[in-house]
Amino acid sequence: MAKTYVEVLSGASSFLEAAGKEGYAIEYLFLARKGWDKTHWLLKMREEIPSADQAIIEKDLAALMKNIPPQYLLGYESFFDHRFKVTEATLIPRPETEELVALCLELNDYKPKKVIDIGTGTGAIAVSLKLARPAWQVTAVDISDAALNVAQENAKMLGAEIVFKESDVLAAITEKQDIIISNPPYISEDEWDLMDESVRTYEPKTALFAENHGLAIYQKIAEQSQRLLESTGMILLEIGFQQGVAVQEIFQTAFPEKRVTVQQDMAKNDRMVVVR
């Protein structure tokens, strides 16, 4: 007996959940591949599914069972209303980082500023800021040449003029900056077992993990920023939800004249540190 779209996808979703995986991922993938929004889905879900579409679902289901993230299967992720190419050389942009970009824009007007994004990955932060504030001079750095290639591709595709440099944090930067922003690696090696298997297996380790209980890159940013941050400048950082006090202390010590605050995300977790 022929099955409908919703029957096949519901079955695939249940199969994933029974294996301890995210059931919604298969519907997310399929709708993205078909280019269907929720309205289109509601209109089509009770229709009989063609064999070609069933084959797409079966192939994606097999990949999800291997813990491949849906964004890598699609090759893109949406961030701040823009579509960014993602590969296994880049961290998948996440909603929490959108909140960091939104906070940066909220705290800064349209006047020209020099801005640097550390550990740019896909370029999501740098590109989103440049598109929202065209007068800003944005530089994006990463230690990974492969990630920089992806970021440059995204900037070109989205029409954002950004300077890209290969750099270990701020080592290759000489010009003073008005804004230093980063979503750096901040997961401690001790937290390896707590990570989702898809993250552990497929996302780049250098973009995730840091030494010294996840604080090593913050310490490096704090040290190197002292020579590069304008006296009126600010630093905005994404942090792990348990790192607020530690990161605040690092930057308050480095910048005793500035106010260092911990900001929460929409889930009410500590998520950002602002130095201004």
Side-chain angles (χ1 to χ4, degrees):
M1 183 178 167
K3 291 187 176 181
T4 63
Y5 280 105
V6 72
E7 285 173 332
V8 173
L9 280 170
S10 293
S13 179
S14 297
F15 186 79
L16 286 168
E17 287 175 0
K21 304 183 192 305
E22 182 60 64
Y24 176 70
I26 191 67
E27 183 182 311
Y28 165 81
L29 256 178
F30 184 69
L31 297 189
R33 290 203 188 282
K34 297 293 285 186
W36 291 355
D37 59 18
K38 287 294 183 185
T39 304
H40 205 128
W41 169 236
L42 289 170
L43 292 171
K44 301 283 288 186
M45 61 191 293
R46 305 285 174 200
E47 290 183 9
E48 183 180 324
I49 185 169
S51 57
D53 283 352
Q54 195 157 350
I56 290 171
I57 292 168
E58 286 168 5
K59 186 178 179 182
D60 280 339
L61 182 61
L64 291 171
M65 287 297 292
K66 293 177 185 173
N67 299 304
I68 302 174
Q71 295 88 344
Y72 287 158
L73 292 172
L74 290 172
Y76 66 83
E77 175 63 306
S78 294
F79 182 92
F80 225 73
D81 293 331
H82 308 296
R83 180 180 286 190
F84 287 85
K85 175 183 176 178
V86 296
T87 74
E88 289 184 26
T90 64
L91 198 64
I92 297 164
R94 286 165 165 81
E96 293 86 357
T97 310
E98 290 181 307
E99 295 187 54
L100 182 70
V101 171
L103 180 62
C104 183
L105 295 174
E106 181 186 318
L107 295 176
N108 293 277
D109 59 23
Y110 286 81
K111 292 174 187 171
K113 291 182 188 293
K114 286 187 178 175
V115 182
I116 191 155
D117 170 29
I118 301 168
T120 197
T122 59
I125 292 174
V127 171
S128 299
L129 289 177
K130 180 64 178 178
L131 293 176
R133 299 286 188 267
W136 289 5
Q137 183 183 314
V138 180
T139 301
V141 300
D142 206 294
I143 199 168
S144 164
D145 187 53
L148 283 171
N149 287 336
V150 175
Q152 285 175 304
E153 199 174 324
N154 281 323
K156 186 177 181 181
M157 189 167 54
L158 291 164
E161 286 189 27
I162 290 167
V163 175
F164 290 96
K165 287 188 178 181
E166 190 172 331
S167 179
D168 182 2
V169 187
L170 295 167
I173 304 302
T174 55
E175 284 189 64
K176 291 262 189 180
Q177 302 292 320
D178 297 300
I179 299 171
I180 295 172
I181 189 167
S182 182
N183 173 23
Y186 58 68
I187 298 166
S188 167
E189 297 286 357
D190 304 338
E191 296 174 290
W192 173 261
D193 292 336
L194 304 176
M195 302 295 293
D196 186 89
E197 197 171 332
S198 66
V199 177
R200 289 193 317 222
T201 307
Y202 292 99
E203 296 199 57
K205 308 298 177 291
T206 54
L208 289 165
F209 295 98
E211 295 176 355
N212 194 17
H213 306 292
L215 298 173
I217 307 300
Y218 296 112
Q219 292 166 325
K220 197 176 272 193
I221 292 172
E223 180 193 341
Q224 296 179 358
S225 293
Q226 291 175 67
R227 67 179 172 85
L228 291 170
L229 188 68
E230 291 282 8
S231 59
T232 56
M234 70 171 62
I235 301 172
L236 298 102
L237 305 158
E238 184 171 328
I239 61 169
F241 72 96
Q242 295 177 309
Q243 294 175 319
V245 173
V247 176
Q248 185 179 32
E249 191 175 298
I250 289 167
F251 282 87
Q252 195 66 78
T253 302
F255 296 92
E257 76 288 357
K258 288 191 176 286
R259 184 164 169 252
V260 183
T261 56
V262 179
Q263 308 273 336
Q264 293 186 320
D265 60 22
M266 286 194 286
K268 304 300 180 190
N269 291 318
D270 286 353
R271 188 60 63 190
M272 294 162 281
V273 163
V274 181
V275 183
R276 56 194 292 227

